């Protein structure tokens, strides 16, 4: 019933017969498919969630699911590694099924591998996702000490670091394909201090001429001067167990050349080969260089570059021999060049040409949440890049470096970037943007290093690095901490003053989508996926809110686990299911707001109960149908609307209203004179957007370091006790505007949040064009900030306009054709963030 190993066999005696997992496996022995009633089910905690490329089904025209997931659960007595039915994959995609939370398994089956003896696994077919905090995990001291539950005779079929689907040999990182994942990636292996015969070696300059010769090349003695991130090229039907590739730039006394590491050599050597490492290579092959891949900028090395061929290291045919030379054994007479860098200070950045390359060092002051974006031009299974925005200062300018950092196959560093650390980024590319200060984006060759990883790196002796370290000694931590921030929404650069729709180069613009396309984009967003889209229409309503959105009321979140469930089922069958259906109740959101004191303008008090789902849409049938007649809310709304038309006509002049959506807090709002009629005639109102706690950055403190890092990072693959030790510090909502945009054809409306920048100290204020404006509703939506911004550095505390003053000017939005730039981001579960980035008048758009 368990793994055949000594660590778990010693724990068999005295195990509780009350184990839910044990009972379930015993029952599955007599019935292939098992449906569990409520009284039979018990919560189990998810302690690991692992991803791998799915198997290709024979005869299947189209692969519906690119990846499969194995989930390891525990009931506090046993652990069990189960297969997640592909019909439940969307729960992983939205981070609803996640580590550290409880689930209730209500239907499962035991699946045997028909092509292999002694192999089978539990398949979870139906489950209920529970509350945010687990009721199982707090009672477990060491989850790894719990024995693994396995069907008798199949002990070898379940291994902690190998997928249940036997055709796959390894797992991938849960959220991207760039990071090494699992125990197969070896690191820290000792380098060789054996005596090398360097009397007969080839120089790189001689390899180009010997490329097409059949003679066996002599060994190479080279130093790594650049390292790229990993590339996973797995796809359906590819008969390669470890489809990885990575490349290095290596150098000897004659010049530089690319070296490519293939397949299972990547897990064996990638983490051991670093910039500055010296290699003795035998049994390598030469091939013509791949011209389309990116390359590092190496002009500053002042060495000859050989680009026509590249060195290939393969696990077989022939099996390459790689010797990592101990640093103490490297001799000066070998003539290997020193690693060179090209550090740029912040004061020099504006002088650099667009797309030029540089290295930077700075003190981190802001680190954004990790987000994901679909990789462009990917022809294989759908995959995502992960990235985050970082600000770092170096003392040479009042402005920080603005860094867009993509995953560089260094997850232990990428996930630990936080304020007050020294950050080094190599091979960054300069992005000069009209109307915004330049920023730097990472390349395939970028490497990152933070405090704790600098020791022994070749750059430590660089003059710019030494100068930076001297500057940091003059700083006071408490002063720097006051200017730090973590997480929240961040989007850079700002859209240009004129929105241009290019008919030639569609990739160079924010896509302008139809309202129906926006609906699809919202429905298909995955966890932490970010998209920037444009939609044209009219702004028909604006509400000022003081309270953040939640996915459900607090009292609901604190109830017992089955009451806050996502129930997902597959068709009833005793065979292995092929599809699944989700049956989940909408979670209701009722945003509230604090009362805003009136300022004497003409208003009317309007009581309107609102109930909107944070994930699902409000369906608004055409006027030929009865609208919400079966609900109390609908009857009240109909009575309101029929009895308020004459009153509304009197208020067209300002359109300023004072609502009470929850009957306990008032909300200031404006509506266009046509909105009452338009919302009865439109088809759908997309209510996903809102402002959440995850949308607002937080001040960094050393005491809250771990919880803030967890909050801004992606959901971890494995649960550890540290992941539930603390709660996220509450944020103070500065107030935001909920804007309703009606599509240009008046069929679909969408709610979006607008959070203006109100202080020069905010991370979003960096690089923001701050041309003065009149603080009208439209000018605020267009500029992104309230004027003038307060600046604590210059001791300026200008009085910002009150929401009533801004909304009083909203009548200029009446019947105004606008283009709205929207930032979409899925925050996990039911939380979908829709934020207005910029609003253009039609006079500010052009066709190219």
């Amino acid at each position: 019933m368990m793994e055949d190993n000594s660590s778990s066999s010693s724990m068999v005696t005295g195990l509780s017969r009350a184990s839910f997992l044990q009972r379930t496996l015993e029952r599955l022995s007599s019935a292939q498919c098992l449906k569990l009633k409520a009284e039979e089910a018990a919560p189990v905690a998810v302690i690991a969630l692992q991803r791998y490329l799915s198997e290709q089904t024979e005869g299947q025209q189209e692969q519906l699911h690119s990846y499969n997931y194995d989930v390891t659960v525990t009931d506090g007595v046993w652990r069990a590694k189960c297969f997640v039915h592909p019909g439940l994959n969307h729960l992983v995609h939205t981070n609803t099924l996640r580590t550290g939370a409880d689930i209730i398994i209500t239907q499962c089956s035991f699946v045997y591998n028909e092509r292999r003896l002694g192999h089978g696994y539990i398949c979870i077919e139906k489950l209920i996702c529970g509350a945010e905090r687990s009721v199982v995990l707090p009672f477990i001291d060491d989850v790894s000490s719990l024995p693994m539950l396995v069907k008798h005779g199949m002990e070898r079929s379940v291994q902690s670091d190998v997928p249940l689907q036997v055709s796959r040999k390894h797992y991938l990182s849960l959220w991207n394909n760039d990071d090494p994942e699992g125990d197969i990636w070896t690191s820290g292996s000792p380098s060789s201090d054996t005596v090398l015969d360097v009397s007969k070696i080839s120089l790189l300059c001689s390899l180009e001429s010997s490329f097409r010769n059949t003679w066996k090349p002599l060994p190479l003695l080279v130093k790594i001067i650049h390292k790229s991130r990993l590339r996973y090229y797995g796809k359906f039907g590819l008969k390669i167990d470890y489809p990885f590739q990575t490349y290095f730039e290596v150098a000897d006394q004659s010049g530089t050349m690319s070296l490519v590491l293939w397949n299972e050599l990547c897990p064996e050597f990638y983490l051991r080969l670093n910039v500055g490492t010296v290699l003795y290579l035998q049994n390598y092959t030469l091939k013509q260089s791949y011209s389309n891949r990116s390359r590092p900028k190496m002009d500053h090395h002042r060495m000859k570059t050989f680009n026509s061929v590249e060195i290939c290291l393969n696990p077989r045919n022939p099996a390459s021999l790689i010797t990592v030379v101990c640093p103490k054994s490297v001799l000066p007479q070998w003539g290997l060049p020193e690693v060179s860098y090209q550090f740029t200070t912040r004061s020099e950045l504006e002088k650099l040409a667009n797309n030029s390359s540089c290295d930077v060092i700075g003190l981190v002051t802001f680190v954004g949440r990790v987000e994901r974006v679909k990789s462009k031009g990917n022809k294989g299974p759908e995959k995502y890049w992960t990235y985050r925005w970082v600000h770092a200062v170096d003392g040479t300018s009042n402005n920080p470096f603005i860094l867009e950092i993509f995953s560089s196959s260094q997850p232990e560093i990428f996930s630990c970037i936080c304020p007050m650390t020294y950050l080094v980024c190599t091979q960054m590319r300069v992005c000069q943007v009209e109307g915004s200060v330049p920023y730097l984006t990472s390349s395939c060759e970028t490497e990152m290093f933070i405090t704790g990883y600098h020791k022994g790196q070749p750059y430590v002796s660089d003059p710019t690095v030494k100068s930076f370290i001297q500057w940091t000694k003059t700083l006071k931590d408490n002063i720097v901490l006051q200017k730090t921030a973590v997480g929240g929404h961040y989007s850079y650069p700002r859209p240009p003053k004129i929105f241009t729709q290019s008919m030639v180069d569609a990739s160079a613009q924010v896509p302008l989508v139809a309202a129906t396309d926006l609906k699809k984009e919202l429905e298909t967003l995955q966890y932490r996926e970010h998209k920037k889209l444009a939609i044209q229409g009219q702004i028909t309503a604006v509400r000022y809110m003081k309270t953040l959105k939640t996915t459900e009321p607090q009292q609901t979140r604190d109830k017992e686990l089955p009451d806050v469930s996502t129930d997902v089922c597959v068709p009833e069958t005793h065979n292995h299911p092929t599809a699944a259906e989700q049956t989940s109740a909408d979670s209701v959101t009722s945003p509230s707001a604090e009362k805003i004191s009136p300022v004497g303008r003409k208003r009317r008090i309007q009581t309107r109960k609102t109930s909107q789902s944070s994930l699902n849409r409000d369906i608004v049938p055409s006027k030929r149908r009865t609208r919400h007649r079966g609900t109390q809310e609908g009857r009240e709304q109909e009575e309101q609307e029929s009895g308020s038309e004459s009153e509304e006509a009197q208020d067209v002049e300002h359109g300023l209203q004072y609502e009470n959506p929850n009957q306990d807090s008032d909300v200031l709002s404006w509506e266009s004179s046509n909105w009452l009629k338009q919302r009865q005639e439109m088809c759908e109102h997309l209510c996903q957007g809102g402002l959440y706690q995850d949308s607002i950055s937080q001040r960094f403190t050393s005491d809250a370091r771990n919880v803030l890092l967890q909050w801004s990072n992606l959901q971890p693959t494995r649960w550890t006790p540290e992941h539930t030790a603390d709660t996220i510090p509450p944020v103070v909502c500065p107030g935001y505007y909920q804007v309703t945009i009606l599509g240009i054809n008046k069929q679909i409306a969408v709610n979006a949040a607008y959070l203006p920048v109100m202080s020069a100290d905010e991370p979003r204020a960096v690089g923001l064009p701050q041309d003065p404006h009149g603080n009208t509703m439209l000018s605020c939506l267009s500029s992104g900030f309230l004027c003038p911004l307060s600046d604590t550095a210059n001791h300026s505390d200008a009085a910002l306009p009150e929401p009533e003053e801004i909304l009083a000017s909203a009548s200029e939005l009446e019947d105004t054709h606008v283009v709205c730039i929207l930032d979409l981001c899925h925050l996990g579960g039911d939380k979908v963030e829709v934020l207005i980035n910029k609003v253009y008048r039609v006079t500010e758009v052009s066709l190219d």
Side-chain angles (χ1 to χ4, degrees), residues 486-502:
V486 177
H489 163 75
Y490 186 90
S491 182
Y492 195 83
R494 285 283 296 174
K497 289 185 177 181
I498 302 296
F499 179 81
T500 303
Q501 185 176 23
S502 175

Side-chain angles (χ1 to χ4, degrees), residues 446-457:
T446 291
E447 285 196 290
M448 301 175 295
F449 302 95
I450 58 174
T451 303
Y453 292 85
H454 297 303
K455 186 177 180 180
Q457 296 299 333

Side-chain angles (χ1 to χ4, degrees), residues 245-314:
Q245 178 214 57
T246 188
Y247 65 88
F248 305 82
E249 300 300 327
V250 297
D252 62 12
Q253 56 187 287
S254 68
T256 69
M257 185 176 286
S258 295
L259 179 151
V260 186
L261 198 66
W262 288 96
N263 302 333
E264 51 258 56
L265 290 182
C266 289
E268 184 178 354
F269 284 99
Y270 180 77
L271 297 180
R272 298 167 54 190
L273 304 186
N274 299 301
V275 171
T277 299
V278 175
L279 302 176
Y280 184 74
L281 305 175
Q282 300 167 275
N283 291 356
Y284 58 90
T285 60
L286 299 174
K287 63 178 288 187
Q288 189 171 351
S289 289
Y290 181 62
S291 59
N292 289 334
R293 71 166 168 83
S294 66
R295 297 177 183 274
K297 303 293 179 64
M298 298 189 295
D299 295 343
H300 59 285
H301 285 281
R302 295 180 175 83
M303 289 187 289
K304 186 175 178 60
T305 302
F306 306 107
N307 287 331
S308 62
V309 297
E310 57 191 26
I311 305 159
C312 292
L313 302 179
N314 296 285

Side-chain angles (χ1 to χ4, degrees), residues 222-259:
V222 294
K223 178 184 284 188
I224 297 174
I225 60 173
H226 285 293
K227 177 181 180 179
S228 79
R229 66 185 177 196
L230 281 169
R231 174 176 172 253
Y232 175 74
Y233 63 95
K235 59 183 180 181
F236 303 127
L238 186 66
K239 303 298 182 181
I240 298 176
D241 290 336
Y242 301 91
F244 291 98
Q245 178 214 57
T246 188
Y247 65 88
F248 305 82
E249 300 300 327
V250 297
D252 62 12
Q253 56 187 287
S254 68
T256 69
M257 185 176 286
S258 295
L259 179 151

Side-chain angles (χ1 to χ4, degrees), residues 346 365-366 391 398-402 436-438 490-494 757 759-770 789:
R346 179 60 185 85
T365 55
F366 163 70
H391 291 174
N398 292 328
N399 293 321
F401 287 111
I402 302 175
S436 298
V437 299
Y490 186 90
S491 182
Y492 195 83
R494 285 283 296 174
V757 177
S759 169
D761 296 332
E762 294 183 42
R764 295 182 301 142
V766 175
L768 179 69
Q770 296 182 21
L789 293 180

Side-chain angles (χ1 to χ4, degrees), residues 616-759:
N616 298 291
R617 302 169 300 282
D618 287 339
I619 306 300
V620 184
S622 65
K623 56 186 177 181
R624 290 191 299 268
R625 301 176 184 175
T626 302
R627 187 176 187 270
H628 302 305
R629 290 199 181 276
T631 65
Q632 178 68 20
E633 175 190 349
R635 287 192 293 270
E636 290 181 2
Q637 185 167 336
E638 286 175 0
E639 292 170 3
Q640 259 181 332
E641 292 171 352
S642 62
S644 62
E645 290 184 4
S646 59
E647 187 179 3
E648 181 144 342
Q650 298 173 8
D651 289 331
V652 168
E653 180 181 356
H654 292 294
L656 201 59
Q657 302 171 14
Y658 206 46
E659 296 185 0
N660 185 0
N662 292 318
Q663 294 190 335
D664 61 358
S665 57
D666 294 330
V667 178
L668 186 66
S669 70
W670 168 86
E671 290 183 358
S672 72
S673 59
N674 297 322
W675 178 227
L676 181 66
K677 180 180 179 182
Q678 288 169 338
R679 67 184 176 200
Q680 293 176 355
E681 296 178 344
M682 67 184 184
C683 298
E684 260 181 313
H685 193 163
L686 308 178
C687 295
Q688 283 101 327
L691 198 71
Y692 301 88
Q693 177 168 335
D694 294 347
S695 306
I696 302 175
S697 61
Q698 296 224 38
R699 177 69 56 83
F700 177 77
T701 63
S702 299
D703 293 340
R705 176 184 182 276
N706 291 337
V707 70
L708 289 173
L709 281 177
Q710 294 169 27
W711 174 61
S712 61
N713 284 324
L714 298 173
Q715 185 75 24
T717 298
R718 294 174 181 82
W719 174 84
T720 61
E722 293 78 19
H723 290 138
T724 53
D726 299 300
T727 57
I728 303 169
V731 299
V732 178
C733 178
Y736 70 99
Y737 298 85
Q738 181 178 283
V739 180
T740 300
I741 307 163
L742 181 62
I744 194 65
N745 286 315
K746 299 180 174 56
Q747 295 299 301
I748 297 179
V750 61
N751 286 349
Y754 169 62
L755 178 64
V757 177
M758 292 183 283
S759 169

Side-chain angles (χ1 to χ4, degrees), residues 20 49 709 799:
F20 164 76
L49 190 58
L709 281 177

Side-chain angles (χ1 to χ4, degrees), residues 296-511:
K297 303 293 179 64
M298 298 189 295
D299 295 343
H300 59 285
H301 285 281
R302 295 180 175 83
M303 289 187 289
K304 186 175 178 60
T305 302
F306 306 107
N307 287 331
S308 62
V309 297
E310 57 191 26
I311 305 159
C312 292
L313 302 179
N314 296 285
R316 60 188 64 84
N317 300 323
S320 299
L321 296 177
I322 305 172
T323 303
V324 180
V325 182
C326 176
K328 295 180 180 179
S329 301
V330 178
L331 301 178
Q333 54 263 38
W334 292 351
L336 298 176
E338 295 296 324
V339 177
S340 178
Y341 292 90
Q342 196 170 22
F343 279 95
T344 296
T345 64
R346 179 60 185 85
S347 61
E348 300 168 334
L349 184 59
E350 271 81 5
K351 303 174 186 176
L352 299 183
N354 187 51
N355 202 37
S356 58
S357 175
C358 67
D359 309 313
V360 297
I361 183 170
L363 174 67
V364 175
T365 55
F366 163 70
V367 55
R369 68 191 182 201
V370 180
E371 295 182 348
R372 305 162 70 215
V373 64
K374 283 186 181 177
S375 56
K376 299 176 182 177
N378 178 49
K379 297 180 181 178
E382 186 177 276
K383 66 177 182 178
Y384 289 82
W385 288 327
T386 55
Y387 71 98
R388 69 193 324 166
W389 289 92
V390 174
H391 291 174
V393 295
D394 69 354
T396 67
S397 170
N398 292 328
N399 293 321
F401 287 111
I402 302 175
L403 309 172
E404 181 187 33
I405 303 177
F406 287 84
S407 172
S408 58
S409 303
Q410 300 170 283
E412 73 287 352
I413 293 178
F414 184 79
S415 61
C416 289
I417 302 174
C418 68
M420 308 301 290
T421 60
Y422 299 165
L423 172 67
V424 168
C425 294
T426 65
Q427 287 293 313
M428 300 292 284
R429 298 292 189 267
V430 178
C431 299
Q432 296 282 0
V433 184
E434 182 181 356
S436 298
V437 299
Y439 69 97
L440 299 172
T441 188
S442 58
S443 64
C444 291
E445 300 80 32
T446 291
E447 285 196 290
M448 301 175 295
F449 302 95
I450 58 174
T451 303
Y453 292 85
H454 297 303
K455 186 177 180 180
Q457 296 299 333
Y459 55 73
V460 294
S461 59
D462 188 280
T464 303
V465 174
K466 288 184 174 181
S467 177
F468 167 79
I469 297 300
Q470 290 300 316
W471 170 74
T472 60
K473 293 178 180 179
T474 67
L475 302 176
K476 295 182 179 179
D477 285 356
N478 60 334
I479 295 178
V480 178
L481 277 169
Q482 294 175 11
K483 301 177 181 179
T484 61
V486 177
H489 163 75
Y490 186 90
S491 182
Y492 195 83
R494 285 283 296 174
K497 289 185 177 181
I498 302 296
F499 179 81
T500 303
Q501 185 176 23
S502 175
M503 299 295 104
V504 179
D505 184 11
S507 64
Q509 63 187 19
V510 176

